[in-house]
């Protein structure tokens, strides 16, 4: 077994215009000061990393890595959540997702999609140049608008959508394989890959591609009443990344999973700072340790109530307290009678 690495922090939710949140060096020093050992980097803001440059220049990648290392941190992984979303967009969401793309590509879905694919391919090479082994993204969605089957879905619609989704992603997965990087889908509402069943449907369409892996985030499962512990039992061989993120689900006589179009503060299901929600992290860390998870425990902070800086400060200690330092011996070794094959055979009568 391995001791899970951490604590680390995904900095996307903390980036801003004010110091220390407006450049890589400053935010790394801030994170290190809170006790973090690693940072997960989003790739949609060139102030922190220029993704294409990191793919094309090993020298530049080494410079980025050096800035992070100088603060006493490691880069855990890169993220292309926003770019991955644009690999597959249903026309119903074109305008809503246009803001994820550069200005010059807006109102041009075909060119936007080509750009997204190129970004993912850059991410594979950049990850290799940085010495990483995993990367996180979103799958995008072609049929999320039909998640509730009313009006009735036409026969074959789901199969056609997943065939197309796989067609778009398999060449990207092959590039990640060429660079020896696991591509981890964050299973997330709003994506066609939003639970275990949809992941399995996709996996079948990409011929069980060995790089089609998972980022585990229990918060998204709390909000859809999915058993997030059994999920680890089922998919642990594919889980290569871990977002430590809390949530709570408190249904009432007025609203449940769908949330009644309420904002995050008033939804029955909402994300919370670590320790303020309902997720059983002791059980999660135990299961991941049991299954020999070799990656990082990364805080993804989202909460409609608590200040982000308080969440970050508390999160570092929370993760540290939950990481299990694995044992190097069996607890009852003191009672061992040693190893003797002849004695064993005597006991068995053979």
């Amino acid at each position: 077994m391995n001791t899970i690495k951490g604590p680390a922090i995904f900095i996307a939710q903390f980036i801003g215009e004010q110091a220390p949140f407006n450049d890589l060096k400053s935010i790394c020093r801030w994170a290190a000061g809170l006790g973090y050992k690693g940072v997960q980097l989003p790739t949609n803001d060139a102030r922190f990393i220029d993704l294409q440059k990191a793919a094309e220049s090993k020298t530049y990648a080494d410079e980025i890595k050096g800035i992070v290392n100088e603060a006493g941190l490691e880069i855990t992984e890169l993220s292309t959540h926003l770019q991955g979303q644009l690999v597959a967009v249903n026309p119903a969401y074109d305008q809503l997702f246009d803001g994820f793309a550069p200005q010059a590509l807006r109102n041009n879905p075909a060119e936007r999609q080509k750009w997204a694919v190129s970004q993912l391919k850059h991410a594979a090479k950049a990850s290799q140049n940085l010495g990483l082994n995993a990367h996180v993204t979103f799958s995008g969605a072609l049929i999320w608008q039909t998640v509730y089957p009313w009006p009735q879905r036409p026969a074959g619609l789901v199969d056609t959508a997943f065939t197309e989704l796989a067609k778009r992603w398999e060449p990207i997965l092959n590039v990640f394989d060429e660079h020896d990087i696991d591509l981890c889908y964050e299973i997330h509402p709003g994506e066609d890959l939003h639970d275990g069943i949809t992941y399995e449907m996709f996996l079948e369409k990409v011929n069980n591609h060995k790089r089609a892996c998972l980022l585990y985030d229990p918060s998204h499962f709390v909000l859809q009443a999915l058993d997030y512990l059994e999920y680890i039992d089922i998919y642990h061989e594919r889980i290569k990344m871990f977002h430590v993120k809390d949530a709570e689900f408190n249904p009432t006589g007025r609203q449940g999973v769908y949330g009644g179009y309420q904002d995050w503060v008033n939804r029955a299901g909402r994300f919370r700072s670590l320790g303020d929600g309902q997720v059983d992290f002791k059980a999660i860390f135990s299961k991941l340790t049991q299954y020999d998870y070799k990656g990082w425990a990364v805080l993804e902070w989202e909460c409609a109530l608590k200040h982000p800086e308080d969440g970050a400060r508390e999160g570092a200690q929370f993760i540290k307290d939950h990481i299990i330092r694995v044992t190097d011996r069996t607890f009852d070794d003191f009672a061992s009678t040693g190893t003797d094959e002849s004695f064993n055979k005597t006991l068995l009568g053979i």
Side-chain angles (χ1 to χ4, degrees):
M1 295 185 296
N2 285 273
T3 298
I4 295 173
K5 294 183 284 188
I9 185 170
F10 184 34
I11 64 169
Q13 285 84 0
F14 299 93
I15 288 174
E17 299 304 319
Q18 303 297 320
F21 308 110
N22 56 355
D23 69 77
L24 182 61
K25 180 179 289 188
S26 298
I27 205 168
C28 284
R29 289 176 176 172
W30 167 78
L34 296 177
Y36 289 101
K37 297 180 180 179
V39 287
Q40 188 178 95
L41 299 181
T43 57
N44 59 309
D45 190 327
R47 292 177 299 171
F48 297 86
I49 185 170
D50 183 320
L51 183 59
Q52 182 172 349
K53 194 173 179 180
E56 295 174 348
S57 170
K58 182 66 164 62
T59 300
Y60 174 76
D62 288 342
E63 291 171 359
I64 293 295
K65 188 175 181 179
I67 292 171
V68 176
N69 293 163
E70 186 181 358
L73 302 174
E74 296 181 49
I75 300 174
T76 63
E77 303 96 3
L78 302 180
S79 148
T80 52
H81 285 92
L82 303 190
Q83 299 98 313
Q85 185 75 60
L86 300 181
V87 170
V89 178
N90 184 280
Y93 295 99
D94 265 338
Q95 290 182 307
L96 291 172
F97 282 134
D98 245 358
F100 290 0
Q103 185 70 43
L105 299 177
R106 295 175 187 177
N107 298 311
N108 191 339
E111 290 303 311
R112 184 186 65 196
Q113 199 264 347
K114 289 180 183 178
W115 172 82
V117 170
S118 70
Q119 285 280 290
L120 266 294
K121 292 178 178 180
H122 288 324
K125 181 59 178 177
S127 294
Q128 183 187 57
N129 283 344
L130 290 165
L132 307 177
N133 55 30
H135 179 81
V136 59
T137 195
F138 279 151
S139 68
L142 297 174
I143 54 167
W144 173 254
Q145 75 281 3
T146 73
V147 68
Y148 193 86
W150 181 259
Q152 187 181 64
R153 301 186 195 104
L157 178 69
V158 173
D159 186 70
T160 299
F162 273 81
T163 298
E164 176 63 24
L165 193 68
K167 179 182 176 182
R168 297 186 187 193
W169 277 105
E170 192 162 13
I172 298 171
L173 287 163
N174 289 338
V175 172
F176 274 82
D177 190 33
E178 290 168 7
H179 293 92
D180 199 24
I181 307 293
D182 291 321
L183 181 56
C184 302
Y185 294 97
E186 180 167 356
I187 305 303
H188 190 287
E191 311 303 318
D192 281 343
L193 306 192
H194 56 267
D195 59 13
I197 291 293
T198 51
Y199 171 66
E200 290 176 16
M201 292 163 61
F202 175 75
L203 199 58
E204 181 180 3
K205 292 290 188 180
V206 295
N207 301 306
N208 293 304
H209 202 294
K210 69 179 183 179
R211 297 299 179 182
C213 296
L214 294 166
L215 176 144
Y216 176 71
D217 182 337
S219 69
H220 303 303
F221 302 148
V222 170
L223 269 56
Q224 57 180 302
L226 184 151
D227 188 332
Y228 57 83
L229 295 177
E230 186 180 15
Y231 182 97
I232 299 175
D233 293 329
I234 298 169
Y235 301 113
H236 60 89
E237 293 181 350
R238 291 279 183 168
I239 295 172
K240 306 296 183 181
M241 294 178 62
F242 174 26
H243 271 174
V244 190
K245 182 177 166 188
D246 212 342
E248 61 184 358
F249 180 54
N250 299 305
T252 69
R254 290 189 171 91
Q255 63 158 303
V257 170
Y258 301 116
Y261 295 115
Q262 298 301 295
D263 60 24
W264 280 109
V265 171
N266 295 315
R267 290 177 67 89
R270 59 187 184 179
F271 302 124
R272 297 299 308 274
S273 266
L274 282 185
D276 295 344
Q278 298 168 344
V279 176
D280 185 352
F281 282 106
K282 286 186 177 180
I284 288 172
F285 275 85
S286 293
K287 279 190 176 290
L288 289 175
T289 301
Q290 171 190 342
Y291 287 123
D292 201 24
Y293 170 70
K294 294 180 172 61
W296 286 84
V298 181
L299 169 72
E300 183 184 22
W301 180 89
E302 290 181 351
C303 183
L305 301 178
K306 183 170 286 185
H307 193 283
E309 292 182 47
D310 292 337
R313 174 176 47 80
E314 295 169 359
Q317 190 62 46
F318 185 95
I319 294 173
K320 183 179 179 181
D321 289 342
H322 280 77
I323 289 175
I324 298 169
R325 184 162 67 107
V326 299
T327 182
D328 57 0
R329 60 190 178 91
T330 305
F331 65 89
D332 57 356
D333 276 353
F334 73 94
S336 173
T337 58
T339 301
D340 185 323
E341 184 66 14
S342 177
F343 181 57
N344 290 344
K345 291 181 177 180
T346 299
L347 289 176
L348 296 171
I350 57 177

